[in-house]
Amino acid sequence: MSLQQRHLLGLEGYPAEDIQTIIDTAFTFREVLDRPIKKVPSLQGQTIVNLFFENSTRTRISFELAQKRLSADTVNFSASTSSLKKGESFKDTVQNIEAMKIDACVMRHPTPGAPLRLTEYVDAVVINAGDGTHEHPTQAILDMTSLHEKFGYLKGLKVGIIGDISHSRVALSNIHGLITMGADVTLCGPATLIPPHIEELGVKINYNLDEVMEWADALNVLRIQMERMGVSLFPSVREYRSLFGITTERLAKHKKEIVIMHPGPMNRGVEIESAVADGDQAIILDQVLNGVASRMAILYLLLGGKAES
Ligand code: NCD
């Protein structure tokens, strides 16, 4: 069992059978995470460097835990405390790290395409942990694993992606992945936060949240990425909340069983009301656990680990 591509840079053009293999393998690792001793020797002797050029909480911890659960050796690099601050180039930094003999790099970077560039500089396997507004493939895979766990299928599943689509790498990777897996995707948010021509990727757009909720099996609710906006692209947080916020009141008007997802970090009271985030319909913390299992699957499949015991 292995994947067709050597690196995981994005889900655009990524083969459906490989996405399915990762999801199936993630379920196997979910069982490991439920054991009293949550560790297998699959990646013993492999060294993985986590290169974080941008802030992260859960993605970084999730990757690190996944590596430790697979018995890999891990090293963490943080741009804010590195020699980049002394003027060293990106190329020199990563080539020096690779000279210390590593097998894989997990990279988060504010510039779209940085992980692709990294593949030109190093021989190690490269996994994109989020590159600017471009892609965040492991997040989309954990989202799909969570949907698969909840519904048992992805083909024909109706998924609404709500909010700031323009600045969201989570949205783009989810769109590519879900469309590849045969799901139906509708985007909903302020017109200023939905990129023109995005329908060409095979999605629908509906600016009316209530209509989308009436239709959807699941909603993936996104954070407004204020830090990526030069100017405010909607009039006020209050208006955003009233048009696009997921509230208990709104949920009560619709089908009872809509599943609510959020990649985190959440802005409670803006895109999602606290009671919804903590409510029965939310699978937000399942996503976090599936994140560890999905990243274990990705690392295991890309690094060719031996069968786990
Ligand atoms: C997202 C990210 O960093 O792209 N978070 C995550 O990885 N779980 C989404 C966000 O920042 O809103």
Side-chain angles (χ1 to χ4, degrees), residues 54-56 58-59 108 129-130 132 136 139 168-170 222-225 227-228 262-265 295:
E54 193 193 280
N55 294 348
S56 167
R58 81 216 79 227
T59 303
R108 170 165 286 196
H136 192 353
Q139 177 70 42
S168 175
R169 51 195 176 205
V170 176
L222 304 173
R223 184 175 67 89
I224 300 291
Q225 311 236 338
E227 77 280 17
R228 297 195 199 279
H262 195 303
R295 290 179 174 117

Side-chain angles (χ1 to χ4, degrees), residues 13 17 34 37 53 75 84 112 130 133 144 148 151 157 162 174 185 193 196 207 211 224 232 237 255 262 305:
E17 57 272 30
D34 291 333
I37 295 173
F53 293 84
V75 182
L84 282 166
T133 54
M144 289 189 283
H148 206 293
F151 293 95
L157 195 67
I162 316 298
N174 262 281
V185 179
L193 294 177
Y207 299 108
E211 283 177 20
I224 300 291
S232 185
V237 165
K255 295 194 287 197
H262 195 303

Side-chain angles (χ1 to χ4, degrees), residues 76-89:
N76 291 315
F77 164 92
S78 190
S80 54
T81 53
S82 73
S83 286
L84 282 166
K85 293 274 175 236
K86 300 181 189 167
E88 186 176 51
S89 73

